[in-house]
Amino acid sequence: MSSVLIRNVRIFDGETLLAGERWVRIEGDRIAAMGEGAPTASHADRVIDGAGRTLMPGMVEAHAHLTWGSSVEKIYHQFILPEDELKVAAWRNARILLDHGFTSAYSAGALVDGIEVELARAIKAGDTPGPRLVPSTLERSPEGAEGVETGDVFNGRGAEAIRKFVAYCKEQGIGSLKLVVSGEDALKPGSAGDVLYTEEEMEAAGEAAREAGLWIATHAYYPEAIALALKAGARIIYHASYADEAAADAMIAARDTTFYAPSPGVSIAALEATPPPHIDMSHMKKSAAERMELETKLVPALKARGMRILIGGDYGFPFNPNGRNARDLQIFVDHFGYTPAEALKAATALGGELMDLEIGRVKQGWLADLLLVDGDPTQDVSILQDKNRIAMIMKGGALYKAPAEVAV
Ligand SMILES: [Zn+2]
């Protein structure tokens, strides 16, 4: 088993910055030992001198859209891409997330069926670089409320159609299915208040997903949609901007099993965007301003009551490209009253809990998904937006990016 010793580092362990100079020893894919001061036994296959930098867990993107093509390396002005180009974009986006310190990603839905399962397998096999990925399939939104019971897997109404969808997802090999419970203003202005599923359908989704061992991710804005998401036992609720007191209470009651990711990245980016004249973002901007105002009150209130709130901001639009994902941490600090350490915990320890893996903490026995950061992110999380400040990226004990100075 290969071993790596990382010495002369400060450690943010997923919760707090540990005092003093530290070291960590990795054997195989796990953290075998860690300690203070100089390491007692310094032999290892590889020794990395951290030079006083900060060692922290790899970050977790809780709302990933790898098939939304745009990234910091390439902007696409059309949302739907030809299938071969889409695959190139998704593979590239996975690599870009890892380049920026995201060693895990939970998919919030794909634009094409099947692609994320293939990508997750390729990453796992080491055929292509990327984060540990909980793959999803097409985001499911049924036909209009008056829709007929078509039984169609992706759009059909009724409990039976939902059960078929879950069975289909299971067969495809996905990890989490995505249900669009609320309408989306960005796609259809004024539709955020629409509720796209019935109680019966959501109950069926919850039951079938539990039986199949799949997770459910939900797009939900208003109390009724949040209640339905909770009814289905959603693992994660996105947005929830218009939650009232009762909806907040219901989320808190489910806080041991349900996570929350407000996804402010896309709202802030929409507010800042200066689109060309032929693209009208005025409605999107108005809705983003309204949601940010509400979330500025909602998120701190839920956090104070113990809700596990995660970063992840719908990256992948031309105005909000993949690769900027760490911006969410700064937004949590600037708009939601988080300390830098709390934002880091949301991106690491809590993200690890979402993934249900022993990741997100620098802890003996846990998987070695680690970053070596130039500077102290517990004072300033904005440094994580600069990939050049991430000197080392390790996933499962394997060095994806190694610092320049390696002592032997
Ligand atoms: Zn999304």
Side-chain angles (χ1 to χ4, degrees), residues 267-285:
S267 303
I268 295 292
L271 290 169
E272 288 173 353
T274 46
H278 64 283
I279 293 175
D280 178 16
M281 282 181 70
S282 56
H283 191 86
M284 215 185 213
K285 283 174 181 281

Side-chain angles (χ1 to χ4, degrees), residues 68-90:
W68 295 14
S70 287
S71 71
V72 290
E73 291 180 18
K74 186 171 174 69
I75 298 295
Y76 291 98
H77 291 288
Q78 74 272 43
F79 198 56
I80 305 295
L81 301 171
E83 199 157 336
D84 51 347
E85 185 63 34
L86 187 69
K87 187 172 166 180
V88 169

